[in-house]
Amino acid sequence: MMDLRYPIGLFNMNQEITSKEINQWTSDIESAPQELKKAVKNLNNLQLDTPYRPGGWTVRQVVHHLADSHLNSYIRFKLALTEENPVIKPYEEALWAELPDSRLPIDISLPLLENLHARWVVLLKSLSPHDLTKTFTHPDSGVVTLAQNIGLYSWHGRHHISHITSLCTREGW
């Protein structure tokens, strides 16, 4: 039986990251906004306010979380590209998901994510092999390279979109 928390499995980072992986992950990030739009296209408010698993976020919260999380990641990329191993500030994503803006219509976050990813992908495609080795320090995770973070956010988008699509499949929506 599928683990509803991790429908595509846990994030797993290879030690050796190839340019082929970077290209695939960048493509995943590029397509994520359209995949998300497809996943939520025909959902009504009752469905959007349904948790993807018992005790989990609602579909609406997942959509807004993707915008929040990917905004943070984009900023982390820019910090790492312009500073020497900056220490980034983590955020309490579970608490952010409870704030009033996470109850807004998803039409607020869908174009935000689409436009953010348009900028992010331009940045990602411009990275040199040296840029991919640049780092930031996460207080909990330690030192993270930009190459690793591309993999993480490729997974992150697919992970949460799968939360939505697997819920829709289970519910017959």
Side-chain angles (χ1 to χ4, degrees), residues 76 87-90 136-143:
R76 291 169 184 176
V87 177
I88 59 95
K89 179 161 183 2
F136 60 81
T137 297
H138 188 291
D140 299 325
S141 308
V143 176

mmCIF file of all heavy atoms in Angstrom, residues 76 87-90 136-143:
data_model
loop_
_atom_site.group_PDB
_atom_site.id
_atom_site.type_symbol
_atom_site.label_atom_id
_atom_site.label_comp_id
_atom_site.label_asym_id
_atom_site.label_seq_id
_atom_site.Cartn_x
_atom_site.Cartn_y
_atom_site.Cartn_z
ATOM 1 N N ARG A 76 16.824 31.429 -1.820
ATOM 2 C CA ARG A 76 18.027 30.723 -1.359
ATOM 3 C C ARG A 76 19.034 30.575 -2.503
ATOM 4 O O ARG A 76 20.243 30.691 -2.295
ATOM 5 C CB ARG A 76 17.654 29.365 -0.772
ATOM 6 C CG ARG A 76 16.898 29.500 0.532
ATOM 7 C CD ARG A 76 16.299 28.196 0.999
ATOM 8 N NE ARG A 76 15.509 28.432 2.203
ATOM 9 C CZ ARG A 76 14.786 27.506 2.815
ATOM 10 N NH1 ARG A 76 14.737 26.264 2.334
ATOM 11 N NH2 ARG A 76 14.108 27.799 3.901
ATOM 12 N N VAL A 87 23.953 31.561 5.512
ATOM 13 C CA VAL A 87 23.067 30.792 6.387
ATOM 14 C C VAL A 87 21.656 31.283 6.104
ATOM 15 O O VAL A 87 21.370 32.478 6.236
ATOM 16 C CB VAL A 87 23.426 30.999 7.876
ATOM 17 C CG1 VAL A 87 22.439 30.252 8.770
ATOM 18 C CG2 VAL A 87 24.858 30.548 8.142
ATOM 19 N N ILE A 88 20.805 30.370 5.676
ATOM 20 C CA ILE A 88 19.441 30.765 5.321
ATOM 21 C C ILE A 88 18.528 30.634 6.530
ATOM 22 O O ILE A 88 18.837 29.927 7.496
ATOM 23 C CB ILE A 88 18.903 29.961 4.105
ATOM 24 C CG1 ILE A 88 18.897 28.445 4.366
ATOM 25 C CG2 ILE A 88 19.754 30.252 2.880
ATOM 26 C CD1 ILE A 88 17.591 27.938 4.847
ATOM 27 N N LYS A 89 17.435 31.315 6.458
ATOM 28 C CA LYS A 89 16.460 31.259 7.541
ATOM 29 C C LYS A 89 15.389 30.244 7.177
ATOM 30 O O LYS A 89 14.689 30.403 6.183
ATOM 31 C CB LYS A 89 15.824 32.625 7.752
ATOM 32 C CG LYS A 89 14.789 32.592 8.866
ATOM 33 C CD LYS A 89 14.483 33.947 9.389
ATOM 34 C CE LYS A 89 13.517 33.969 10.532
ATOM 35 N NZ LYS A 89 13.003 32.752 11.067
ATOM 36 N N PRO A 90 15.249 29.196 7.973
ATOM 37 C CA PRO A 90 14.132 28.283 7.742
ATOM 38 C C PRO A 90 12.828 28.938 8.172
ATOM 39 O O PRO A 90 12.841 30.003 8.798
ATOM 40 C CB PRO A 90 14.458 27.073 8.620
ATOM 41 C CG PRO A 90 15.457 27.537 9.602
ATOM 42 C CD PRO A 90 16.095 28.791 9.077
ATOM 43 N N PHE A 136 24.595 26.967 0.379
ATOM 44 C CA PHE A 136 24.040 27.731 1.488
ATOM 45 C C PHE A 136 23.996 26.768 2.654
ATOM 46 O O PHE A 136 24.079 25.547 2.479
ATOM 47 C CB PHE A 136 22.658 28.332 1.175
ATOM 48 C CG PHE A 136 21.580 27.345 0.840
ATOM 49 C CD1 PHE A 136 20.892 26.649 1.833
ATOM 50 C CD2 PHE A 136 21.236 27.114 -0.484
ATOM 51 C CE1 PHE A 136 19.888 25.751 1.514
ATOM 52 C CE2 PHE A 136 20.230 26.214 -0.810
ATOM 53 C CZ PHE A 136 19.553 25.528 0.191
ATOM 54 N N THR A 137 23.883 27.308 3.851
ATOM 55 C CA THR A 137 23.777 26.463 5.035
ATOM 56 C C THR A 137 22.378 26.602 5.607
ATOM 57 O O THR A 137 21.913 27.703 5.889
ATOM 58 C CB THR A 137 24.826 26.853 6.090
ATOM 59 O OG1 THR A 137 26.123 26.636 5.535
ATOM 60 C CG2 THR A 137 24.666 26.021 7.357
ATOM 61 N N HIS A 138 21.737 25.449 5.733
ATOM 62 C CA HIS A 138 20.425 25.378 6.377
ATOM 63 C C HIS A 138 20.694 24.991 7.829
ATOM 64 O O HIS A 138 21.410 24.013 8.078
ATOM 65 C CB HIS A 138 19.567 24.318 5.677
ATOM 66 C CG HIS A 138 18.150 24.301 6.123
ATOM 67 N ND1 HIS A 138 17.769 23.882 7.386
ATOM 68 C CD2 HIS A 138 17.012 24.645 5.471
ATOM 69 C CE1 HIS A 138 16.449 23.963 7.481
ATOM 70 N NE2 HIS A 138 15.973 24.431 6.338
ATOM 71 N N PRO A 139 20.162 25.731 8.789
ATOM 72 C CA PRO A 139 20.455 25.428 10.190
ATOM 73 C C PRO A 139 20.132 23.989 10.606
ATOM 74 O O PRO A 139 20.780 23.463 11.512
ATOM 75 C CB PRO A 139 19.592 26.424 10.961
ATOM 76 C CG PRO A 139 19.416 27.563 10.021
ATOM 77 C CD PRO A 139 19.352 26.947 8.650
ATOM 78 N N ASP A 140 19.167 23.358 9.951
ATOM 79 C CA ASP A 140 18.820 21.979 10.298
ATOM 80 C C ASP A 140 19.497 20.950 9.402
ATOM 81 O O ASP A 140 19.895 19.886 9.863
ATOM 82 C CB ASP A 140 17.297 21.781 10.231
ATOM 83 C CG ASP A 140 16.554 22.678 11.202
ATOM 84 O OD1 ASP A 140 17.082 22.933 12.300
ATOM 85 O OD2 ASP A 140 15.453 23.138 10.847
ATOM 86 N N SER A 141 19.618 21.252 8.109
ATOM 87 C CA SER A 141 20.126 20.281 7.129
ATOM 88 C C SER A 141 21.617 20.384 6.874
ATOM 89 O O SER A 141 22.199 19.499 6.256
ATOM 90 C CB SER A 141 19.395 20.457 5.789
ATOM 91 O OG SER A 141 18.012 20.437 5.973
ATOM 92 N N GLY A 142 22.220 21.488 7.272
ATOM 93 C CA GLY A 142 23.640 21.674 7.021
ATOM 94 C C GLY A 142 23.894 22.325 5.667
ATOM 95 O O GLY A 142 23.037 23.005 5.116
ATOM 96 N N VAL A 143 25.068 22.061 5.120
ATOM 97 C CA VAL A 143 25.491 22.663 3.858
ATOM 98 C C VAL A 143 24.787 21.963 2.697
ATOM 99 O O VAL A 143 24.772 20.736 2.616
ATOM 100 C CB VAL A 143 27.019 22.583 3.698
ATOM 101 C CG1 VAL A 143 27.462 23.108 2.340
ATOM 102 C CG2 VAL A 143 27.710 23.357 4.824
#
